[in-house]
Amino acid sequence: MSTRNGSERRTQVVVIGSGFGGLFAARALRRADVDVTLIAKTGHHLVQPLLHQVATGILSEGEVAAPTREILRRQENAHVILGEVTDIDLDSRMVVSTVLGRTRVHLYDELIVAAGAGQSYVGNDRFADFAPGLKSIDDALELRGRIFGAFEQAELTSDRAELDRLLTFVVVGAGPTGVEMAGQIAELARRTPRRDFRSIDPATARVVLVEAGPAVLPSFGEELGGSARQRLGEVGVEVQLGATVTDVDADGVDIEYTDGHAQRIPAATKIWAAGVQASPLGGVLAGQSGAEVDRAGRVAVLPDLTLPGHPEVHVVGDMAALDDLPGEAQVAIQGGRYAATAIKRRLAGKAPCGFFRYVDKGSMATVSRFSAVVRIGRLRFEGLIAWTMCLAVHLYYIVGFSSRVTTVLHWLLGFVGSGRAQRVATQQQVYGRLALAHLDPQLVPSLTGGHHGAPQEARELRESRPMRCSPLLEARQMTSQTVDRGE
Ligand SMILES: Cc1cc2nc3c(=O)[nH]c(=O)nc-3n(C[C@H](O)[C@H](O)[C@H](O)COP(=O)(O)OP(=O)(O)OC[C@H]3O[C@@H](n4cnc5c(N)ncnc54)[C@H](O)[C@@H]3O)c2cc1C
């Protein structure tokens, strides 16, 4: 590619996100004659489907979150940057990232945006203080601390009502994440710490799965959803359908049922698994390109995953809205690879590769030990065979030989035996998030992620900064900041 001053330089591809979409896009460009800059706000590639096992003490965080830098160390055209992208300027083809006050500006010829989705509390962000979601390593470790901490506190009390509150776990949302969490907490209570306590019987713990809709795992259909519900009952999960959570506080949750009655469930541990909100960067892209954004903040992309008027901007994975595609790892992986192929074809002067076609490789959710549901096209699997398929797929997603080996060992320990090796919980895990947020909202770890990432907040963030007027000019004037890859 020739620049404005006539010299030749390689095409600059900026990839935002090191999740399934971003990482697989970057890897698919390994042999391309391009420079790839992958920017992500975490230094790892996270296998989100295994987060529930980190939260319930089966796996360590390292096993499900390999360092991105290490994954891409042999890919010489890839450059990994730690930073949170806070702005994208489509006209100037520029991305701004920041980490701990260090701001960088990255110029691109092609941009792949795969910043994923965070938790949505559907307008009730205050619930987040008491009911963490499960989207990140921080979330999983906080939940682990809260879950094991509840058993520890229960051991110390002799008050009946307080004991019941401490041993009640409420999971909100009966999608795959909610089902997996509820099933694992029930198993943990029934099997793992049985002999570890003297004053309490952990097996008496009450695990309630609350769902506003009429079914468990509605996206899996009636048959598999029904079978998952039955299995949850067998492992001791109390499933409440048609139950809408109206309030959450430190002591419990308030619920309203479709038949009109209401109930309060006293519970020390609440887990929110009821809704997602795409990265606010979607709003930033939509605002400049005229693309629509749906209720979940996803950008309505063109059939080739690009933005209207911007064939050089590709949006993939959980951020993209196209043909009702689900928020699943395979959608992100295939989208990332497709965007990389589109870029390679354009560079080679070839015709575009046609519209993005998702090859449905199926959906799966584990329910408990030895039980899962799997849907592949018209085929339906459940029970042990489905559970084995889930483990195999999850093992495939884990990066690195040693992590795969230790994962299998931990599975043997946790599923065949009754041990959970990863029970470490620290005060910082449990209180760090809230302490930072309450100390100073500026100290929240993420400006654009998690429940802090409402699109409105991102827009305000963007609009409040002087860079809005003349980003490139201002970026060039910033002496303490680094401009990546000038022309
Ligand atoms: C608990 C849980 C269980 C799941 N189970 C399954 C399952 O069993 N099967 C399945 O197929 N799918 C499952 N999913 C969904 C699947 O994980 C997602 O669909 C997939 O990860 C989406 O990939 P992505 O690349 O779009 O986003 P992500 O994988 O979420 O990656 C987003 C990346 O962007 C980075 N990022 C975000 N904002 C910024 C920013 N402003 N600046 C820089 N970087 C940023 C993040 O750090 C991250 O690296 C599960 C999800 C969760 C949360």
Side-chain angles (χ1 to χ4, degrees):
M1 168 173 282
S2 57
T3 62
R4 283 177 207 165
N5 62 18
S7 62
E8 290 291 318
R9 68 166 174 78
R10 273 149 67 100
T11 294
Q12 305 299 311
V13 182
V14 169
V15 178
I16 303 175
S18 60
F20 285 107
L23 184 70
F24 280 78
R27 281 161 105 171
L29 288 166
R30 64 188 173 283
R31 294 205 185 86
D33 189 20
V34 298
D35 290 327
V36 179
T37 303
L38 185 146
I39 311 164
K41 66 181 181 184
T42 57
H44 52 255
H45 164 67
L46 175 60
V47 182
Q48 283 181 335
L50 285 169
L51 275 178
H52 69 284
Q53 297 193 10
V54 177
T56 52
I58 296 174
L59 296 180
S60 77
E61 59 275 25
E63 280 157 342
V64 306
T68 315
R69 200 170 286 293
E70 194 179 314
I71 299 171
L72 294 176
R73 69 184 183 281
R74 292 207 178 87
Q75 186 171 328
E76 289 195 352
N77 69 350
H79 184 191
V80 177
I81 299 277
L82 180 69
E84 175 162 16
V85 172
T86 52
D87 205 1
I88 301 170
D89 192 298
L90 297 184
D91 291 337
S92 306
R93 298 195 176 186
M94 188 190 77
V95 166
V96 181
S97 71
T98 182
V99 60
L100 294 174
R102 292 174 198 274
T103 300
R104 292 178 74 110
V105 176
H106 317 263
L107 305 178
Y108 64 81
D109 301 305
E110 301 273 354
L111 176 65
I112 301 176
V113 189
Q119 198 68 62
S120 163
Y121 287 84
V122 276
N124 292 303
D125 279 5
R126 69 200 154 83
F127 291 179
D129 283 4
F130 312 106
L134 184 63
K135 289 284 175 194
S136 64
I137 289 290
D138 278 333
D139 294 338
L141 293 179
E142 180 178 344
L143 280 174
R144 184 199 285 173
R146 286 181 180 236
I147 293 165
F148 286 101
F151 288 109
E152 294 298 337
Q153 289 185 67
E155 176 82 348
L156 300 174
T157 187
S158 50
D159 179 85
R160 186 69 232 176
E162 176 64 354
L163 184 66
D164 289 345
R165 189 186 74 86
L166 287 165
L167 290 183
T168 300
F169 300 81
V170 174
V171 181
V172 185
T177 302
V179 166
E180 287 171 347
M181 275 308 293
Q184 270 312 315
I185 296 173
E187 293 234 311
L188 156 68
R190 305 285 179 275
R191 303 181 68 244
T192 310
R194 228 177 21 210
R195 298 211 188 102
D196 299 6
F197 293 89
R198 300 291 175 264
S199 307
I200 59 163
D201 177 5
T204 59
R206 181 182 177 204
V207 183
V208 189
L209 179 62
V210 179
E211 166 60 46
V216 166
L217 295 177
S219 61
F220 286 74
E222 224 170 282
E223 193 188 330
L224 289 185
S227 128
R229 185 181 175 181
Q230 186 185 338
R231 177 64 191 154
L232 284 170
E234 286 164 8
V235 295
V237 177
E238 185 182 320
V239 179
Q240 298 194 1
L241 301 177
T244 302
V245 171
T246 54
D247 204 3
V248 182
D249 59 31
D251 294 327
V253 294
D254 290 316
I255 300 174
E256 259 176 37
Y257 298 87
T258 37
D259 64 6
H261 85 281
Q263 184 192 196
R264 177 167 177 81
I265 302 181
T269 311
K270 287 81 54 180
I271 296 155
W272 194 266
V276 292
Q277 184 71 37
S279 161
L281 292 178
V284 173
L285 295 174
Q288 294 173 59
S289 66
E292 299 276 311
V293 176
D294 69 9
R295 277 178 55 206
R298 299 179 310 158
V299 189
V301 289
L302 298 176
D304 63 353
L305 301 183
T306 64
L307 293 178
H310 290 277
E312 76 285 3
V313 182
H314 315 256
V315 185
V316 305
D318 283 1
M319 277 187 72
L322 178 69
D323 299 339
D324 281 336
L325 289 177
E328 290 183 359
Q330 270 301 325
V331 177
I333 290 172
Q334 292 179 33
R337 285 178 173 154
Y338 170 89
T341 305
I343 292 170
K344 288 190 276 191
R345 289 183 73 90
R346 188 156 35 233
L347 286 181
K350 294 183 182 165
C353 44
F355 294 161
F356 174 61
R357 292 259 174 274
Y358 172 58
V359 181
D360 187 358
K361 297 193 174 172
S363 304
M364 45 186 60
T366 46
V367 183
S368 65
R369 191 171 69 114
F370 306 147
S371 176
V373 291
V374 173
R375 180 192 54 74
I376 305 174
R378 288 188 189 162
L379 300 175
R380 305 278 182 271
F381 303 91
E382 54 185 272
L384 183 61
I385 183 168
W387 185 76
T388 313
M389 290 161 88
C390 282
L391 291 197
V393 170
H394 290 158
L395 202 58
Y396 164 76
Y397 284 145
I398 286 178
V399 180
F401 178 73
S402 61
S403 287
R404 284 187 179 145
V405 171
T406 55
T407 294
V408 171
L409 282 175
H410 284 141
W411 282 346
L412 285 172
L413 197 67
F415 297 135
V416 180
S418 61
R420 289 187 190 231
Q422 307 299 327
R423 286 164 60 170
V424 171
T426 68
Q427 274 193 322
Q428 289 185 17
Q429 271 171 229
V430 181
Y431 301 114
R433 174 180 64 99
L434 293 178
L436 280 176
H438 287 213
L439 197 60
D440 177 351
Q442 293 302 316
L443 290 177
V444 292
S446 167
L447 293 171
T448 62
H451 76 279
H452 297 285
Q456 182 60 25
E457 286 170 12
R459 270 197 296 279
E460 281 164 9
L461 185 79
R462 184 181 152 76
E463 278 155 16
S464 67
R465 275 181 300 113
M467 291 189 79
R468 186 72 188 87
C469 330
S470 176
L472 204 51
L473 185 67
E474 298 222 11
R476 284 189 178 131
Q477 288 169 346
M478 287 187 291
T479 47
S480 62
Q481 299 172 353
T482 311
V483 178
D484 236 14
R485 311 239 164 79
E487 293 159 310

mmCIF file of all heavy atoms in Angstrom, residues 337-352:
data_model
loop_
_atom_site.group_PDB
_atom_site.id
_atom_site.type_symbol
_atom_site.label_atom_id
_atom_site.label_comp_id
_atom_site.label_asym_id
_atom_site.label_seq_id
_atom_site.Cartn_x
_atom_site.Cartn_y
_atom_site.Cartn_z
ATOM 1 N N ARG A 337 -12.665 -15.026 11.620
ATOM 2 C CA ARG A 337 -11.948 -15.623 10.481
ATOM 3 C C ARG A 337 -12.452 -15.052 9.159
ATOM 4 O O ARG A 337 -11.684 -14.822 8.227
ATOM 5 C CB ARG A 337 -12.134 -17.142 10.481
ATOM 6 C CG ARG A 337 -11.303 -17.817 11.560
ATOM 7 C CD ARG A 337 -11.568 -19.296 11.544
ATOM 8 N NE ARG A 337 -10.684 -20.017 12.431
ATOM 9 C CZ ARG A 337 -10.979 -21.175 12.992
ATOM 10 N NH1 ARG A 337 -12.146 -21.740 12.761
ATOM 11 N NH2 ARG A 337 -10.113 -21.765 13.781
ATOM 12 N N TYR A 338 -13.754 -14.840 9.088
ATOM 13 C CA TYR A 338 -14.356 -14.298 7.861
ATOM 14 C C TYR A 338 -13.805 -12.892 7.590
ATOM 15 O O TYR A 338 -13.440 -12.563 6.455
ATOM 16 C CB TYR A 338 -15.875 -14.266 8.027
ATOM 17 C CG TYR A 338 -16.605 -13.526 6.936
ATOM 18 C CD1 TYR A 338 -17.026 -14.180 5.783
ATOM 19 C CD2 TYR A 338 -16.867 -12.167 7.060
ATOM 20 C CE1 TYR A 338 -17.690 -13.484 4.778
ATOM 21 C CE2 TYR A 338 -17.526 -11.473 6.063
ATOM 22 C CZ TYR A 338 -17.939 -12.127 4.926
ATOM 23 O OH TYR A 338 -18.582 -11.432 3.935
ATOM 24 N N ALA A 339 -13.724 -12.069 8.653
ATOM 25 C CA ALA A 339 -13.208 -10.697 8.477
ATOM 26 C C ALA A 339 -11.760 -10.750 7.992
ATOM 27 O O ALA A 339 -11.364 -9.983 7.103
ATOM 28 C CB ALA A 339 -13.308 -9.930 9.797
ATOM 29 N N ALA A 340 -10.988 -11.672 8.555
ATOM 30 C CA ALA A 340 -9.577 -11.794 8.136
ATOM 31 C C ALA A 340 -9.501 -12.197 6.661
ATOM 32 O O ALA A 340 -8.691 -11.665 5.894
ATOM 33 C CB ALA A 340 -8.873 -12.826 9.011
ATOM 34 N N THR A 341 -10.368 -13.119 6.260
ATOM 35 C CA THR A 341 -10.372 -13.555 4.856
ATOM 36 C C THR A 341 -10.745 -12.395 3.934
ATOM 37 O O THR A 341 -10.140 -12.201 2.873
ATOM 38 C CB THR A 341 -11.380 -14.714 4.655
ATOM 39 O OG1 THR A 341 -11.046 -15.735 5.568
ATOM 40 C CG2 THR A 341 -11.357 -15.255 3.242
ATOM 41 N N ALA A 342 -11.742 -11.605 4.362
ATOM 42 C CA ALA A 342 -12.165 -10.463 3.541
ATOM 43 C C ALA A 342 -10.997 -9.501 3.341
ATOM 44 O O ALA A 342 -10.769 -8.982 2.241
ATOM 45 C CB ALA A 342 -13.337 -9.754 4.217
ATOM 46 N N ILE A 343 -10.241 -9.280 4.404
ATOM 47 C CA ILE A 343 -9.088 -8.362 4.306
ATOM 48 C C ILE A 343 -8.040 -8.943 3.353
ATOM 49 O O ILE A 343 -7.506 -8.243 2.477
ATOM 50 C CB ILE A 343 -8.485 -8.130 5.714
ATOM 51 C CG1 ILE A 343 -9.477 -7.332 6.568
ATOM 52 C CG2 ILE A 343 -7.143 -7.425 5.627
ATOM 53 C CD1 ILE A 343 -9.122 -7.242 8.032
ATOM 54 N N LYS A 344 -7.756 -10.231 3.485
ATOM 55 C CA LYS A 344 -6.729 -10.858 2.631
ATOM 56 C C LYS A 344 -7.139 -10.798 1.163
ATOM 57 O O LYS A 344 -6.326 -10.544 0.287
ATOM 58 C CB LYS A 344 -6.486 -12.307 3.071
ATOM 59 C CG LYS A 344 -5.728 -12.399 4.390
ATOM 60 C CD LYS A 344 -5.285 -13.796 4.715
ATOM 61 C CE LYS A 344 -6.361 -14.593 5.370
ATOM 62 N NZ LYS A 344 -5.959 -15.853 5.930
ATOM 63 N N ARG A 345 -8.416 -11.018 0.918
ATOM 64 C CA ARG A 345 -8.890 -10.985 -0.483
ATOM 65 C C ARG A 345 -8.783 -9.570 -1.059
ATOM 66 O O ARG A 345 -8.388 -9.378 -2.205
ATOM 67 C CB ARG A 345 -10.341 -11.482 -0.572
ATOM 68 C CG ARG A 345 -10.481 -12.972 -0.325
ATOM 69 C CD ARG A 345 -11.911 -13.409 -0.508
ATOM 70 N NE ARG A 345 -12.295 -13.418 -1.916
ATOM 71 C CZ ARG A 345 -12.176 -14.438 -2.739
ATOM 72 N NH1 ARG A 345 -11.651 -15.565 -2.296
ATOM 73 N NH2 ARG A 345 -12.568 -14.361 -3.983
ATOM 74 N N ARG A 346 -9.139 -8.591 -0.226
ATOM 75 C CA ARG A 346 -9.044 -7.216 -0.722
ATOM 76 C C ARG A 346 -7.588 -6.875 -1.062
ATOM 77 O O ARG A 346 -7.295 -6.274 -2.080
ATOM 78 C CB ARG A 346 -9.589 -6.248 0.339
ATOM 79 C CG ARG A 346 -9.685 -4.848 -0.193
ATOM 80 C CD ARG A 346 -10.676 -3.930 0.489
ATOM 81 N NE ARG A 346 -10.874 -4.077 1.902
ATOM 82 C CZ ARG A 346 -12.069 -4.238 2.460
ATOM 83 N NH1 ARG A 346 -13.139 -4.305 1.700
ATOM 84 N NH2 ARG A 346 -12.192 -4.327 3.750
ATOM 85 N N LEU A 347 -6.662 -7.300 -0.183
ATOM 86 C CA LEU A 347 -5.243 -7.013 -0.423
ATOM 87 C C LEU A 347 -4.748 -7.691 -1.692
ATOM 88 O O LEU A 347 -3.912 -7.164 -2.425
ATOM 89 C CB LEU A 347 -4.394 -7.521 0.755
ATOM 90 C CG LEU A 347 -4.478 -6.709 2.028
ATOM 91 C CD1 LEU A 347 -3.584 -7.306 3.088
ATOM 92 C CD2 LEU A 347 -4.072 -5.271 1.744
ATOM 93 N N ALA A 348 -5.286 -8.883 -1.944
ATOM 94 C CA ALA A 348 -4.851 -9.643 -3.122
ATOM 95 C C ALA A 348 -5.567 -9.176 -4.387
ATOM 96 O O ALA A 348 -5.358 -9.738 -5.466
ATOM 97 C CB ALA A 348 -5.108 -11.130 -2.889
ATOM 98 N N GLY A 349 -6.433 -8.180 -4.244
ATOM 99 C CA GLY A 349 -7.168 -7.668 -5.403
ATOM 100 C C GLY A 349 -8.251 -8.614 -5.882
ATOM 101 O O GLY A 349 -8.728 -8.508 -7.017
ATOM 102 N N LYS A 350 -8.658 -9.551 -5.003
ATOM 103 C CA LYS A 350 -9.704 -10.514 -5.386
ATOM 104 C C LYS A 350 -11.089 -9.961 -5.059
ATOM 105 O O LYS A 350 -11.225 -9.055 -4.234
ATOM 106 C CB LYS A 350 -9.516 -11.826 -4.633
ATOM 107 C CG LYS A 350 -8.249 -12.568 -5.012
ATOM 108 C CD LYS A 350 -8.220 -13.876 -4.266
ATOM 109 C CE LYS A 350 -6.940 -14.627 -4.588
ATOM 110 N NZ LYS A 350 -6.682 -15.719 -3.654
ATOM 111 N N ALA A 351 -12.100 -10.560 -5.668
ATOM 112 C CA ALA A 351 -13.480 -10.149 -5.407
ATOM 113 C C ALA A 351 -13.841 -10.491 -3.958
ATOM 114 O O ALA A 351 -13.293 -11.443 -3.391
ATOM 115 C CB ALA A 351 -14.423 -10.886 -6.351
ATOM 116 N N PRO A 352 -14.752 -9.734 -3.346
ATOM 117 C CA PRO A 352 -15.168 -10.054 -1.964
ATOM 118 C C PRO A 352 -15.681 -11.495 -1.857
ATOM 119 O O PRO A 352 -16.148 -12.061 -2.841
ATOM 120 C CB PRO A 352 -16.303 -9.058 -1.705
ATOM 121 C CG PRO A 352 -16.111 -7.965 -2.696
ATOM 122 C CD PRO A 352 -15.458 -8.572 -3.889
#
